[in-house]
Structures are given as C-alpha cells and as structure tokens.
C-alpha cells in the first residue's frame, strides 16, 4: 500500500509539472499563466489542509467527500496530461540521441515541445475532468434497474418465476438530495418483487446518519415474502476512533436497530425458510466476511440444520466470501447476493459487450452475475456512494432477479 501511494504521489507531481508545461506552451499571455498557477496552488493547498482536518472520531463528512471529489477532478486529468507529455519527451530524447549518433550537430538535441501534442493532451484530459464533474452532479443518483434471469434445475416448482429485488450499500451518510432518494424508493416499489433483500452497509459509520432517512426507506413496500437484510463492513464502526468500546458497541446496537425501524428483518448468521405451496427455499444471511475486512460471518452457524439438497439463497456482503469459501462449499449454496465493491463507482460498461473498472484487479467478482459450476453470485453495484461523491460509468443499482426452474437455453 505504501509503495502504491508513493507511485501515485510521483504521478501526481509529474502531472502538475507537465500540465503547467502544456499550459505554458499554449498560453502566451503571462497573467493567464499566473492565474492558472494561482488557482492550482490554491486547490492543492485546500486539499492538503482539508486532509489535515480529517477527524478520525467523526469519519467521512460532506467536506471530506467534496475534497476527494475535488482531488479526483484535478489530479486525474493532470496525470493524463503528464502521461501523454512524458511519452512525447521519451520520443524527443530518443530522437535527440539518434540525431547525435548520425552527426546532425546543427540541430538541437531536444526540439521545442510541439503545440499540437499539448492540445491533444489537454483535450484528452478534459474527458475524465468532465466525467468526474458529471458523476458528482448527476451520476451518483443515476439509478438503473438491472434484471437477470437465472435457471436452476433443482429449484422447487412452486418458486418458478420467483422474483428478488436487491439493493446494497445504502451509505445514508453520503446522501444530499431527498427527492432523488425518494425517486429511487419509488423505483424499488415499481419492481413488485416477491421479496426485497438488502445486502449491507446502511451507513458509513454512525447510526445517526440514517435518522433523517428512516421515514423515506420505510416506504419500501413489504412484499408477500418480506424484507430481509444483513450487515456490511461499514456497519461495525471499524473505521473511526471511538472514545470508548462502550460507545462503539452502542453505535453497533443502534445500527442493528435501524433495520427494524425501516421494517427489514436483519439476519445475523441465521436463516429463514420461505414457503410457497408446501415447498420451501432457505434464505441464509451472514454477517460481514471479507478477505481484507471484518470476518464476523459464520456460514456454518447460519446454515445449521440445512442439507446440501435444500435450495439456498445466501446473503453475504463481500463477494470475496464467495470466492474463498462459498463457491466450492459442499453444502451447495445456489445463489449468493453481495455488494461491497460499488464497482469502484468508476468504470466503463457496455451491456453485453464490455465491462471494466480498476476494482476488477482486486475482486474477481465485482459487478453483475458470475457462475461456478452451476452456482451463482450476483454483485450489486450499490445504491449509494462513499468516498468519491459521485459515479462515472458504474451507476447506482436496483437489481431484479427472477428464479426459473430448468436449464438456460443454449
């Protein structure tokens, strides 16, 4: 991690230097150049100051969200400029050595920087700049309903056509637009699922983040088979400094109480049976279990009394749980529903054609549906947002999954 931060810092510094050189190449009016320098210095100073003011006893705030957004819309585009102009400099140096080797002593070793390359660099950098701006203004509430149909040969017949509406990663402490959230709740209700499942992270850290949103989320209609939920890694209060263990424990109990206040049944390493026409499927809910995060989930305890032949839907917040324990488990968990990754809130998706996000280099299963010998996991892209106050290309999601009996047509 420390090495990665050093690389990022070096890239950021190079980006600043090269962007200045690009602006200097294109801008011939001295006051405009110094105005650019002044604005850049002010932004850098504000970002540094804001990070020094971060209070670990409070955690994420609106200011920290804004600071991260500001950093992304300034640093990333400048890194793009730096990458392009660094490439130009490499060719300039190679060309200089070639000219020296050929004996062209009358020519400069390094010719002047070409204006059109700087224009191209700034033009390309405008793409992430505008994208991050869009993500902060509109993308974070650009809710999408995604639908999947999954076939299981051993699905009980009476559950053929059973629909699940899934949401995940609410992160209520980040919200700033009641109208947009109300619209998303209406979208959830419009799906008319047989059951509504929420797969963790109701807050960023503190239970009080949800208090102003309880009435809004209570409007999620309770379908015939109910509303169930689990905890995510942020629900344990692990990422702030607490005055005492007692206060941390109280916050955790308050967070668990939030689920009841919005009429969700919180599953804590336990399962329930869903019955329809004399047939049953099991809904299993574990606490958070992640390779790099809190491991409170107990699959054995949650599944006590269930057999391999029982049809099981598992709710587990972190998809790394599926990769490391669930997908090859002898007890046969047919479908796992997760969230956690948010798709990093940044990426490129062309449905059915192309899907990419930097988070895929950390999580094998990071957005959408994955299969392993007839066992499936669906990773929801998240309802809310965290850290970066926006979304680019990976939009907030409401998932509708239909269970079908039989084999998928070839």
């Amino acid at each position: 991690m420390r090495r990665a931060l050093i690389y990022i810092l070096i890239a950021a510094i190079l980006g600043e230097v090269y962007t200045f050189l690009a602006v200097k190449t294109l801008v011939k009016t001295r006051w405009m150049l110094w105005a650019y320098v002044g604005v850049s210095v002010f932004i850098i100073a504000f970002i540094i100051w804001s990070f020094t003011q971060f209070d670990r006893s409070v955690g994420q705030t609106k200011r920290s969200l804004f600071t991260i957004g500001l950093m992304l819309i300034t640093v990333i585009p400048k890194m793009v400029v730096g990458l392009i102009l660094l490439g130009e400099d490499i060719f300039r140096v190679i060309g200089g050595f070639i000219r020296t080797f050929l004996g062209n002593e009358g020519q400069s070793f390094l010719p002047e920087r070409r204006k059109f390359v700087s224009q191209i660099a700034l033009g390309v950098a405008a793409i992430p700049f505008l994208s991050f701006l869009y993500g902060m203004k509109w993308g974070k509430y650009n809710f999408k309903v995604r639908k999947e149909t999954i076939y299981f040969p051993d699905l009980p017949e009476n559950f053929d056509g059973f629909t699940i509406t899934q949401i995940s990663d609410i992160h209520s402490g980040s919200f700033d637009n009641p109208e947009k959230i109300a619209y998303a709740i209406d979208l959830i209700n419009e799906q008319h699922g047989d059951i509504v499942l929420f797969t963790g992270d109701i807050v960023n850290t503190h239970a009080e983040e949800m208090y102003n949103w309880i009435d809004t989320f209570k409007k999620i209609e309770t379908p015939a088979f109910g509303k169930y939920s689990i905890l995510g890694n942020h629900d344990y209060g692990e990422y702030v400094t607490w005055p005492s263990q007692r206060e941390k424990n109280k916050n955790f109990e308050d967070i668990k109480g939030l689920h009841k206040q919005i009429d969700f049944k919180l599953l804590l390493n336990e399962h329930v049976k869903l019955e329809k026409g004399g047939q049953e499927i099991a809904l299993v809910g574990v606490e958070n279990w992640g390779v790099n995060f809190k491991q409170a989930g107990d699959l054995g305890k949650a599944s006590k009394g269930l057999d391999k032949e029982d049809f099981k839907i598992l709710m587990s917040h972190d998809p790394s749980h599926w990769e490391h324990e669930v997908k090859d488990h002898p007890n046969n968990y047919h479908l796992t529903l997760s969230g956690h990754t948010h798709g990093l809130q940044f990426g490129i998706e062309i449905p059915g054609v192309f899907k990419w996000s930097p988070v895929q280099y950390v999580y094998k299963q990071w957005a959408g549906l994955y299969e392993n010998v007839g066992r499936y996991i669906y990773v929801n892209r998240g309802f809310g947002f965290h850290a970066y106050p926006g979304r680019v290309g990976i939009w907030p999601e409401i998932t509708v999954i239909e269970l079908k009996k039989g084999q998928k047509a070839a």
Side-chain angles (χ1 to χ4, degrees), residues 46-64:
F46 173 81
I47 291 173
I48 294 173
W49 172 82
S50 185
F51 277 123
T52 63
Q53 300 303 303
F54 183 77
D55 187 347
R56 279 193 56 83
S57 67
V58 176
Q60 181 173 280
T61 63
K62 294 295 190 292
R63 186 177 68 194
S64 65

Side-chain angles (χ1 to χ4, degrees), residues 8-218:
I8 293 172
L9 180 61
I10 292 172
I13 293 172
L14 287 175
E16 285 291 339
V17 172
Y18 273 115
T19 303
F20 171 77
L21 294 175
V23 173
K24 184 179 179 182
T25 300
L26 299 176
V27 175
K28 301 304 180 183
T29 306
R30 183 173 292 273
W31 74 265
M32 293 181 65
L33 181 62
W34 285 112
Y36 164 78
V37 172
V39 171
S40 295
V41 170
F42 175 79
I43 290 174
I44 293 171
F46 173 81
I47 291 173
I48 294 173
W49 172 82
S50 185
F51 277 123
T52 63
Q53 300 303 303
F54 183 77
D55 187 347
R56 279 193 56 83
S57 67
V58 176
Q60 181 173 280
T61 63
K62 294 295 190 292
R63 186 177 68 194
S64 65
L65 281 168
F66 173 77
T67 301
I68 292 174
L70 180 64
M71 184 175 66
L72 289 174
I73 65 176
T74 54
V75 173
I76 299 298
K78 289 180 178 181
M79 285 183 176
V80 172
V81 173
L83 182 64
I84 295 173
L85 294 192
L86 177 61
E88 181 194 21
D89 279 351
I90 291 172
F91 281 105
R92 289 169 72 203
V93 170
I94 292 174
F97 280 115
I98 292 174
R99 284 189 294 274
T100 301
F101 178 78
L102 295 177
N104 297 330
E105 298 179 358
Q107 298 183 24
S108 172
F109 180 81
L110 282 180
E112 289 188 9
R113 191 174 301 280
R114 290 170 290 185
K115 183 177 180 180
F116 84 91
V117 176
S118 294
Q119 291 173 326
I120 291 173
L122 292 173
V124 173
I127 297 174
F129 175 78
L130 294 174
S131 295
F132 281 120
L133 277 179
Y134 173 86
M136 292 172 67
K137 178 63 177 177
W138 295 286
K140 62 186 177 183
Y141 295 126
N142 186 19
F143 293 97
K144 300 295 182 184
V145 176
R146 293 179 176 269
K147 298 185 178 183
E148 291 282 354
T149 300
I150 309 177
Y151 290 81
F152 297 96
D154 54 348
L155 177 71
E157 290 184 1
N158 290 342
F159 285 88
D160 186 26
F162 187 82
T163 56
I164 302 166
T165 301
Q166 181 199 5
I167 58 173
S168 191
D169 300 87
I170 289 174
H171 288 284
S172 54
S174 301
F175 294 154
D176 57 12
N177 192 321
E179 291 184 3
K180 294 295 185 181
I181 301 304
Y183 164 75
I185 299 302
D186 288 341
L187 272 183
I188 294 171
N189 291 332
E190 287 173 8
Q191 307 315 309
H192 301 295
D194 292 309
I195 193 170
V196 177
L197 303 180
F198 165 49
T199 46
D201 278 358
I202 197 169
V203 295
N204 295 329
T205 298
H206 297 92
E208 63 188 31
E209 298 167 20
M210 187 66 180
Y211 292 166
N212 290 335
W213 302 100
I214 288 175
D215 289 341
T216 300
F217 280 85
K218 282 192 71 170

